[in-house]
Amino acid sequence: MGSAATPRRISRGDLDDLADGALERVPAPDPELAELWDDSPSGPQWRASVDALRTALRPASESV
């Protein structure tokens, strides 16, 4: 039985950058996920939710 690897500590800034990068790719025109949402009646609400998450992750200095 092997030992579990010690998790790497990630700074809040790095975590925010990773999350923002992921959210940037989600609604891109190419992914199938975005196409499926766009074909549904909830598509605009889904895109608004993704935008709200990106706004929440943005540092306060960039939000103004």
Side-chain angles (χ1 to χ4, degrees):
M1 202 171 187
S3 63
T6 303
R8 185 179 72 137
R9 302 239 8 155
I10 299 176
S11 72
R12 173 61 194 248
D14 288 344
L15 188 58
D16 287 351
D17 290 344
L18 287 170
D20 188 54
L23 287 170
E24 191 172 295
R25 289 187 301 275
V26 168
D30 295 335
E32 183 180 1
L33 177 62
E35 290 176 14
L36 292 171
W37 274 107
D38 287 341
D39 290 343
S40 81
S42 301
Q45 181 181 357
W46 174 76
R47 285 196 179 269
S49 296
V50 171
D51 289 342
L53 284 170
R54 293 192 73 204
T55 299
L57 289 169
R58 192 175 305 132
S61 61
E62 292 181 26
S63 297
V64 205

